[in-house]
Amino acid sequence: LKCAMTSLMGVPPSPLEVNALLPKSNEGDTSMEPRISEDAFAGAMYDRLCAMDEADRIRQTFRAFDRTHKGYISWEDAERAFAQALPRVAMSTVRLVFD
């Protein structure tokens, strides 16, 4: 659940968010692992995605790349960010995206 939310939203969920999504009990389920249905998960994520401000998301992403607050993203900034986030992607591929 945490991996799916992180992948979708870009940030890991807080324990409070995870607990809010998971049902309190599953009748008839003898396992101790809480479960959420695919439909319930999709509905919850749809609501969260609709509530996100796209401009704010773009600003956050830009700031993550522009660590020195220059107001622009240099090749070195992009290279460092991609190496950290996607270490297996070839820098030649990153260069294609950057150029």
Side-chain angles (χ1 to χ4, degrees), residues 68-97:
T68 58
H69 309 287
K70 299 179 299 276
Y72 61 91
I73 300 170
S74 68
W75 162 245
E76 290 77 21
D77 295 331
E79 186 177 34
R80 179 187 32 72
F82 277 91
Q84 202 171 24
L86 301 166
R88 295 184 182 191
V89 173
M91 281 302 132
S92 59
T93 304
V94 175
R95 189 70 181 184
L96 291 173
V97 172

Side-chain angles (χ1 to χ4, degrees), residues 21-38:
L21 276 177
L22 295 174
K24 300 298 179 222
S25 67
N26 294 321
E27 290 184 32
D29 187 358
T30 57
S31 73
M32 296 305 291
E33 294 182 26
R35 299 176 190 272
I36 185 171
S37 72
E38 184 178 341

Side-chain angles (χ1 to χ4, degrees), residues 3-92:
C3 291
M5 290 180 72
T6 301
S7 177
L8 188 60
M9 303 308 233
V11 292
S14 70
L16 184 64
E17 290 172 310
V18 172
N19 288 337
L21 276 177
L22 295 174
K24 300 298 179 222
S25 67
N26 294 321
E27 290 184 32
D29 187 358
T30 57
S31 73
M32 296 305 291
E33 294 182 26
R35 299 176 190 272
I36 185 171
S37 72
E38 184 178 341
D39 289 339
F41 179 77
M45 294 302 98
Y46 177 79
D47 293 342
R48 283 194 64 185
L49 286 170
C50 287
M52 290 179 70
D53 178 18
E54 187 61 27
D56 188 45
R57 176 100 174 172
I58 292 168
R59 278 189 291 278
Q60 288 176 348
T61 304
F62 183 87
R63 287 186 195 125
F65 277 78
D66 183 23
R67 293 266 196 197
T68 58
H69 309 287
K70 299 179 299 276
Y72 61 91
I73 300 170
S74 68
W75 162 245
E76 290 77 21
D77 295 331
E79 186 177 34
R80 179 187 32 72
F82 277 91
Q84 202 171 24
L86 301 166
R88 295 184 182 191
V89 173
M91 281 302 132
S92 59

